[in-house]
């Protein structure tokens, strides 16, 4: 009886909470539920099923019904379901998520017809409330070539969406192109005048209309899979044309394959495109040649850039292809003036270390980015620390990165502390020069896909990392001891993040 009374007490306590506080709790729970693409359901229905009071509260609050989820899966399409949520959302702005699932196997004609017809009916419901769209996210399941993706794009038509701010189109792929017969005409300032954010991942590049106007965009992430063609257009020109009308960009993220490296080779120097509002430039490369990086940096001028992040794969580069950072295509112009003079945050990962040694003219990175205050590096810190040490030995040269306040080193689990001597020597010389020491954070990532969030799982994985990969107690004490002698603030830990 005591246990039952205790439970009753807690149940009673939540039932007497004021409606405003209950709504805060409900909203937090709903936000957590909507986090995964595989669970496209509105669990506000579950909240409304607890009791009469909760049902009345949830049904009368329009913001619980502003997420319109549609999944093109046999048995999951329901016009009535969408219409109910459109009605309950009243006149509030809505977020639309369309998940395009792979068809069942075997894919019979009857099931094909039902899914396509059901998708068209549901898209009609969404199209009719397009004037209230706040965001649109379309997800094509991995290697789904059933034609459903193209059908969804075409059936969306050209609705007028004056309030739409964010568009994400994600085609999960293991390398195959999600081909399109025609561009997505919906991406037009005529129909989406308020569009601020555009994310294209794994799409055929022809998804963009030829005369796409990107002038309203503030945040862009591009990851194309180029369409195979015997006579492909110059993909670098397409990229330049896109940027030339995106003068209001604040952040730009460029992934692999946005253009062919071969198209970046030109006999005539082209003027870089000025992006005056750009504050963050993030370049993520795979095994592309260094010419891909120079093709991006050589075509962009950002006088107000604050954060520059570059992820590469230097182990895939040949000796003759090592990056020459002194080239005007990268950070310094022909007159040795920095191209990005205001950068204060720098992230460089897998850019310098290779089987042939560090990249050429490493010194140019530091002289071209003199005002850096925060840096994120990986195992390349060894090469960078060596270069900085050599510079500090030369008393005639002013210290590099004099304003540095935060140094973060992100390591894979298999990396040991071989960089410690160079790092300690650099910090020692820095202190001897009268410069302040940066706060040092050393993070060991758990390179383990699909790691669960359960604390017990993380404790087990941390123990494996600590015992087997060099992050042992003795190494930990040595790092803290050596850096502690310099009065450096050190944060050394293992995290459950996935290394790039």
């Amino acid at each position: 009886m005591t246990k039952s009374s205790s439970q009753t007490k807690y149940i009673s306590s939540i039932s007497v909470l004021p409606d405003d506080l209950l709504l805060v709790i409900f909203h937090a729970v709903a936000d957590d539920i909507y986090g995964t693409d595989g669970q496209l359901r509105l669990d506000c229905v579950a909240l409304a099923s607890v009791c009469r009071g909760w049902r009345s509260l949830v049904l009368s609050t329009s913001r619980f019904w502003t997420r319109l989820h549609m999944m093109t899966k046999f048995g999951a399409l329901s016009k009535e379901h969408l219409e109910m949520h459109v009605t309950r959302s009243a006149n509030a702005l809505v977020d639309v998520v369309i998940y395009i699932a792979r068809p069942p196997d075997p894919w019979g004609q009857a099931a094909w017809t039902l899914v396509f017809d059901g998708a068209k009916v549901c898209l009609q419901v969404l199209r009719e409330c397009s004037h209230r769209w706040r965001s649109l996210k379309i997800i094509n399941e991995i290697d789904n070539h059933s034609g459903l993706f193209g059908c969804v794009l075409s059936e969306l038509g050209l609705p007028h969406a004056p309030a739409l701010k964010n568009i994400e189109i994600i085609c999960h792929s293991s390398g195959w192109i999600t081909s399109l017969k025609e561009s997505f005409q919906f991406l037009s300032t005529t129909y989406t005048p308020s569009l601020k954010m555009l994310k294209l991942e794994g799409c055929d590049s022809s998804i963009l209309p030829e005369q796409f106007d990107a002038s309203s965009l503030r945040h862009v992430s591009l990851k194309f899979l180029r369409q195979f063609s015997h006579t492909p257009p110059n993909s670098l020109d397409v990229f330049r044309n896109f940027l030339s009308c995106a003068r209001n960009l604040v952040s730009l993220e460029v992934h692999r394959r946005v253009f062919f490296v071969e198209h970046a080779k030109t006999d005539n120097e082209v003027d870089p495109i000025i992006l005056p509002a750009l504050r963050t430039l993030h370049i993520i490369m795979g095994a592309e040649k260094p010419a891909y990086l120079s093709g991006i940096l050589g075509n962009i001028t950002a006088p107000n850039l604050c954060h520059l992040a570059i992820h590469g794969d230097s182990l895939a580069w040949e000796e003759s292809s090592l990056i020459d950072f002194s080239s005007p295509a990268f950070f310094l112009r022909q007159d040795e003036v920095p191209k990005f003079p205001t950068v204060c945050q720098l992230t460089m990962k897998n850019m310098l270390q290779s089987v042939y040694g560090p990249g050429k003219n490493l010194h140019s990175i530091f002289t071209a980015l003199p005002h850096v205050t925060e840096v994120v590096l990986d195992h390349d810190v060894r090469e960078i620390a060596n270069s900085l040490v050599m510079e500090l030995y030369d008393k005639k040269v002013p210290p590099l990165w004099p304003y540095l306040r935060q140094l973060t080193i992100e390591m894979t689990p298999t990396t040991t502390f071989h960089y410690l001597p160079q790092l300690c020597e650099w910090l020692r010389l820095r202190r001897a020069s009268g410069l302040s020491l940066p706060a040092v954070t050393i993070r060991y990532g758990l390179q383990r896909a699909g790691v669960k969030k359960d604390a017990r799982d993380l404790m087990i994985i941390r123990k494996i990392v600590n015992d087997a990969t060099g992050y042992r107690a003795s190494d930990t004490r040595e790092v803290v001891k050596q850096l502690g002698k310099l009065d450096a603030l050190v944060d050394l830990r293992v995290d459950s993040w996935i290394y790039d």
Side-chain angles (χ1 to χ4, degrees):
M1 291 295 293
T2 305
K3 183 177 181 181
S4 177
S5 299
S6 177
Q7 292 176 342
T8 303
K9 181 181 69 173
Y10 288 114
I11 293 174
S12 300
S13 64
I14 194 171
S15 66
V16 298
L17 290 176
D19 288 351
D20 290 347
L21 185 54
L22 276 176
L23 286 175
V24 172
I25 296 172
F26 291 169
H27 199 260
V29 172
D31 283 343
D32 183 60
I33 289 171
Y34 298 139
T36 59
D37 298 329
Q39 294 178 320
L40 301 184
R41 64 184 191 275
L42 292 173
D43 276 58
C44 46
V45 175
L47 294 173
S49 303
V50 174
C51 64
R52 184 177 300 175
W54 285 21
R55 177 178 176 79
S56 175
L57 188 60
V58 171
L59 292 181
S60 62
T61 306
S62 61
R63 71 169 181 259
F64 288 119
W65 309 96
T66 58
R67 304 191 181 183
L68 308 182
H69 288 155
M70 168 186 160
M71 179 183 288
T72 62
K73 191 174 182 179
F74 187 71
L77 290 163
S78 172
K79 173 186 176 183
E80 293 73 22
H81 175 86
L82 279 176
E83 287 179 334
M84 177 185 66
H85 289 90
V86 169
T87 301
R88 289 177 176 173
S89 63
N91 293 317
L93 297 179
V94 296
D95 301 303
V96 177
V97 179
I98 303 174
Y99 191 85
I100 307 173
R102 282 185 294 178
D105 190 21
W107 183 235
Q109 182 62 40
W112 174 281
T113 302
L114 286 173
V115 170
F116 268 71
D117 290 347
K120 291 179 181 179
V121 171
C122 289
L123 289 169
Q124 174 66 27
V125 174
L126 295 177
R127 197 163 57 237
E128 290 174 354
C129 68
S130 62
H131 60 283
R132 294 198 283 119
W133 288 6
R134 176 172 49 196
S135 67
L136 171 65
K137 186 173 185 178
I138 304 175
I139 306 147
N140 193 36
E141 197 169 17
I142 184 168
D143 296 337
N144 180 10
H145 307 292
S146 63
L148 275 169
F149 179 69
C151 173
V152 167
L153 294 189
S154 62
E155 289 297 323
L156 278 176
L158 297 174
H160 184 54
L164 185 63
K165 296 186 180 299
N166 301 334
I167 291 182
E168 296 182 59
I169 303 179
I170 301 172
C171 295
H172 296 300
S173 172
S174 59
W176 294 96
I177 296 174
T178 302
S179 58
L180 290 171
K181 294 182 179 179
E182 57 184 23
S183 60
F184 187 25
Q185 296 298 327
F186 186 70
L187 296 172
S188 167
T189 51
T190 303
Y191 306 101
T192 56
S194 300
L195 189 62
K196 301 299 181 186
M197 190 277 283
L198 175 63
K199 179 178 181 180
L200 300 177
E201 179 178 331
C203 301
D204 181 339
S205 59
S206 63
I207 193 172
L208 286 176
E210 291 185 7
Q211 304 301 323
F212 177 65
D213 184 1
S215 58
S216 66
L217 293 176
R218 301 290 298 266
H219 309 281
V220 168
S221 176
L222 299 177
K223 183 179 181 181
F224 289 146
L225 287 174
R226 297 299 307 181
Q227 183 182 30
F228 177 78
S229 172
H230 294 292
T231 57
N234 188 303
S235 52
L236 181 60
D237 288 345
V238 174
F239 181 61
R240 283 180 56 86
N241 290 337
F242 177 88
L243 293 181
S244 64
C245 60
R247 299 301 179 92
N248 295 312
L249 278 184
V250 174
S251 68
L252 173 62
E253 189 173 90
V254 182
H255 291 258
R256 302 176 294 119
R257 304 183 186 181
V258 172
F259 59 82
F260 291 124
V261 172
E262 291 74 13
H263 289 169
K265 298 178 180 178
T266 176
D267 296 330
N268 301 319
E269 288 292 332
V270 293
D271 293 330
I273 296 168
I274 300 176
L275 299 175
L278 192 67
R279 307 282 288 179
T280 300
L281 175 59
H282 198 167
I283 303 171
I284 303 172
M285 303 165 58
E288 281 81 5
K289 300 175 183 177
Y292 185 73
L293 177 61
S294 63
I296 297 172
L297 294 177
N299 282 277
I300 294 175
T301 294
N304 297 303
L305 189 68
C306 289
H307 185 195
L308 175 62
I310 304 176
H311 294 226
D313 189 2
S314 59
L315 294 176
W317 298 335
E318 299 177 358
E319 184 175 10
S320 59
S321 300
L322 289 178
I323 290 181
D324 182 357
F325 288 113
S326 65
S327 168
F330 289 98
F331 306 124
L332 291 169
R333 301 204 306 252
Q334 294 283 7
D335 56 0
E336 296 297 309
V337 175
K339 291 178 62 177
F340 308 111
T342 58
V343 169
C344 57
Q345 294 177 273
L346 176 66
T347 300
M348 294 195 73
K349 299 172 73 172
N350 288 326
M351 289 302 302
L352 306 175
Q353 183 70 28
S354 74
V355 293
Y356 305 106
K360 303 174 185 177
N361 296 303
L362 187 60
H363 179 272
S364 299
I365 296 176
F366 310 112
T367 56
L369 307 170
H371 302 294
V372 167
T373 59
E374 300 178 30
V375 177
V376 178
L377 304 169
D378 55 6
H379 54 270
D380 295 336
V381 69
R382 176 169 46 189
E383 310 295 343
I384 291 181
N386 269 335
S387 179
L388 290 170
V389 166
M390 296 305 296
E391 292 293 334
L392 283 171
Y393 280 139
D394 187 353
K395 301 300 183 182
K396 298 180 181 179
V397 179
L400 300 176
W401 285 350
Y403 308 107
L404 187 62
R405 297 195 305 264
Q406 175 71 46
L407 170 63
T408 302
I409 306 170
E410 297 180 347
M411 296 289 187
T412 59
T414 56
T415 308
T416 55
F417 293 102
H418 297 311
Y419 59 86
L420 183 60
Q422 295 92 335
L423 180 62
C424 286
E425 180 66 5
W426 170 41
L427 294 177
R428 186 187 68 79
L429 291 173
R430 184 180 178 88
R431 188 181 65 174
S433 300
L435 298 174
S436 60
L437 294 182
V440 180
T441 300
I442 303 173
R443 302 177 64 197
Y444 267 52
L446 302 179
Q447 196 172 17
R448 176 87 169 264
V451 173
K452 297 181 180 180
K453 298 295 184 180
D454 191 280
R456 292 169 296 180
D457 294 332
L458 294 181
M459 288 175 62
I460 294 172
I461 295 172
R462 282 194 179 98
K463 188 176 188 306
I464 294 173
V465 173
N466 293 348
D467 294 344
T469 62
Y471 188 88
R472 294 180 293 273
S474 59
D475 293 323
T476 304
R477 285 195 296 269
E478 180 65 17
V479 170
V480 175
K481 178 181 177 182
Q482 293 294 331
L483 297 178
K485 289 180 178 179
L486 302 172
D487 297 325
L489 177 62
V490 182
D491 179 6
L492 192 152
R493 62 184 184 270
V494 174
D495 290 330
S496 57
W497 54 282
I498 304 301
Y499 189 79
D500 293 314

